[in-house]
Amino acid sequence: MRKSVIFSIIVAILIIIAVAVALTVVLTRRSSTIEKTTTTSTGSPGSTSIGTTTTSTTMLTTTTTLTSTTTTTTLTTTTTTTTSTITTTITSTTTTTTTTTKLMFINNTNPKWTSEGYTFAGGNGYGQNLSQLYYPRSIFIVDNDPQSIYIADTGNQRIVEWKYNASNGQVVAGGNGRGNRIDQLSDPIDVFVDQKNDSLIICDQGNRRVLRWFLQNHTDPQIIISNISCGGLTIDNNGDLYVSDYNKNEVRRWSIGDINSTIVAGGNGKGQELNQLNYPTRIFVNRDYSVYVSDAENYRVMKWIKDAEEGIIVAGGRGGGTSLDKMYMTNGVIVDHLDNVYVSDMANNRVIRWAKGSQEGSIIVGGNGSGNQSNQFISPRGLSFDQQGNLFVVDMYNSRVQKFNIDIV
């Protein structure tokens, strides 16, 4: 009997232990199931299974936000690409805004212009009326105002602004007779518009000086360079001023705020060697700061790469003549983004284009003898292009400025 009772107790204890173990297993599995369900809910935003606690809901919301962010990021990437494209276009336009920028319109290697020009300014005989010019030498076209040009009206001792379709010009500098007073000019032969300072930079040849003439007339003109035989001038993208000196046969650069200058071309006496010049006149500076010089009495155009000790012949250089591999008294010069060089071949009454690396030029306008017809010149001088690619030529002894429209094919 006693043994039977003990046996029953032992069985009961074992049963209790078995039940306890069973309950532990069930609870463990349930806990595991809850954890797995919560994990699934966190990973799947659309899940509606177990795990609808506040924490789980928060996680769902966070996950949805992340998904939305991913979509937004994709859209942002697309928008950024578009913005980048627009920015590139704006940059190109601005860059085609330097001297060089005017020629970014040329999208092939052989652009053409109409053979006959029309008179944009002057053309009413030489004289001092506002409808007339008197042996003009150069022009400047402001990039953001293609409807007007600035003309060095040399014989009238003044700079005039001439609007599109206008019958008269407006005096913006000089016009007070020939003289050396600060309000007078003497044979101004070149002009550059400094938009940043709202002023004109004038090559006042007869007074052997370079002037800054403020367009708003709030300040008297300033002499910025003295004792120089100025043949031409320009300003680069940094605002540095370049001036040719036809007596010293050199081109110098004045940096902003610097009273000293640096020789950037020539400076080795008069001559025809690659490190020399012979009566330099017009100059052009491109985007990499190479200086192109119209070397008039060497009948060539020289390119001086920045910091070079000698130049490279890029047009002419075979003596004076009428054949296409020669020029006779060069003057106006301008260079496009393809490194084509455009030159006023004065004595041959034509404008020549020299493609990069070519051994001869091609006539783009003129070349029809000396005369006053729409396809003729008498001593062409300054050159410029507007933003559309139309060519402007100073026809000195016809006292006019001719415009040749680009021929869009």
Side-chain angles (χ1 to χ4, degrees):
M1 181 67 180
R2 187 176 179 184
K3 289 181 179 180
S4 178
V5 171
I6 293 171
F7 177 78
S8 297
I9 292 171
I10 292 171
V11 170
I13 291 171
L14 291 174
I15 290 171
I16 291 169
I17 292 171
V19 170
V21 170
L23 287 173
T24 302
V25 171
V26 170
L27 290 173
T28 301
R29 288 180 179 174
R30 186 174 182 184
S31 175
S32 176
T33 302
I34 291 172
E35 288 177 2
K36 288 180 181 178
T37 305
T38 304
T39 302
T40 303
S41 178
T42 302
S44 304
S47 175
T48 57
S49 57
I50 301 173
T52 56
T53 62
T54 303
T55 302
S56 177
T57 303
T58 303
M59 290 301 290
L60 287 173
T61 303
T62 303
T63 305
T64 303
T65 303
L66 287 171
T67 303
S68 175
T69 301
T70 302
T71 304
T72 304
T73 301
T74 304
L75 290 173
T76 302
T77 302
T78 304
T79 304
T80 301
T81 303
T82 304
T83 303
S84 178
T85 303
I86 293 171
T87 302
T88 301
T89 303
I90 292 171
T91 302
S92 296
T93 302
T94 303
T95 296
T96 81
T97 94
T98 93
T99 37
T100 312
T101 65
K102 297 176 183 176
L103 302 183
M104 293 302 285
F105 64 85
I106 298 178
N107 55 13
N108 60 69
T109 57
N110 190 33
K112 298 183 183 298
W113 287 263
T114 54
S115 60
E116 296 190 1
Y118 74 89
T119 302
F120 185 95
N124 299 304
Y126 64 86
Q128 61 183 359
N129 293 329
L130 290 178
S131 63
Q132 296 175 306
L133 300 172
Y134 195 160
Y135 298 166
R137 298 286 189 92
S138 71
I139 53 175
F140 187 90
I141 300 176
V142 180
D143 288 341
N144 60 11
D145 184 16
Q147 299 301 313
S148 64
I149 63 176
Y150 291 82
I151 307 169
D153 188 9
T154 308
N156 281 321
Q157 320 304 329
R158 65 191 184 189
I159 307 297
V160 296
E161 180 185 12
W162 207 292
K163 298 285 187 181
Y164 180 72
N165 280 338
S167 56
N168 295 329
Q170 176 186 354
V171 178
V172 292
N176 300 307
R178 181 194 298 271
N180 60 7
R181 296 196 316 259
I182 199 64
D183 66 337
Q184 292 180 307
L185 300 172
S186 177
D187 293 337
I189 64 166
D190 205 0
V191 60
F192 190 100
V193 179
D194 181 0
Q195 292 177 263
K196 182 178 180 181
N197 294 296
D198 196 25
S199 61
L200 305 175
I201 307 298
I202 302 170
C203 181
D204 189 13
Q205 187 185 64
N207 285 320
R208 302 189 71 247
R209 64 189 182 186
V210 175
L211 292 175
R212 181 184 296 279
W213 200 293
F214 294 92
L215 289 171
Q216 298 302 319
N217 294 323
H218 296 313
T219 308
D220 288 336
Q222 298 174 348
I223 299 173
I224 54 179
I225 304 173
S226 299
N227 301 317
I228 186 167
S229 300
C230 178
L233 53 79
T234 192
I235 294 177
D236 69 17
N237 289 337
N238 292 329
D240 294 344
L241 174 63
Y242 298 71
V243 184
S244 64
D245 188 323
Y246 57 82
N247 273 336
K248 293 182 178 179
N249 294 292
E250 64 186 21
V251 178
R252 287 182 174 267
R253 180 186 67 231
W254 279 262
S255 297
I256 296 174
D258 193 348
I259 61 173
N260 297 314
S261 60
T262 302
I263 295 175
V264 294
N268 297 299
K270 178 180 179 179
Q272 59 183 359
E273 299 300 321
L274 293 179
N275 66 345
Q276 295 179 307
L277 298 170
N278 186 0
Y279 206 92
T281 55
R282 300 292 187 270
I283 50 180
F284 181 92
V285 179
N286 72 1
R287 58 192 176 277
D288 64 5
Y289 307 105
S290 293
V291 180
Y292 292 78
V293 186
S294 186
D295 191 9
E297 295 188 3
N298 279 326
Y299 315 115
R300 66 188 185 184
V301 174
M302 300 294 290
K303 176 183 178 180
W304 289 66
I305 297 171
K306 186 178 180 182
D307 299 326
E309 294 183 358
E310 63 180 29
I312 303 166
I313 299 173
V314 292
R318 294 175 174 81
T322 60
S323 58
L324 290 177
D325 65 338
K326 297 179 180 180
M327 295 181 290
Y328 196 33
M329 295 299 290
T330 60
N331 196 265
V333 61
I334 196 165
V335 183
D336 68 21
H337 71 299
L338 298 175
D339 289 334
N340 295 317
V341 179
Y342 300 78
V343 192
S344 289
D345 187 5
M346 282 195 318
N348 287 321
N349 295 299
R350 62 192 184 186
V351 177
I352 300 283
R353 177 180 61 226
W354 291 73
K356 183 178 180 180
S358 65
Q359 298 302 307
E360 64 177 29
S362 58
I363 300 171
I364 59 171
V365 292
N368 300 301
S370 175
N372 60 7
Q373 300 302 307
S374 59
N375 65 347
Q376 294 179 308
F377 304 113
I378 304 179
S379 192
R381 300 295 179 109
L383 301 176
S384 190
F385 288 90
D386 64 17
Q387 288 183 314
Q388 289 71 45
N390 303 309
L391 171 64
F392 292 74
V393 182
V394 176
D395 189 6
M396 179 175 171
Y397 289 117
N398 280 320
S399 293
R400 65 186 183 182
V401 175
Q402 294 290 91
K403 179 182 178 182
F404 296 85
N405 292 325
I406 189 167
D407 191 3
I408 304 297
V409 179

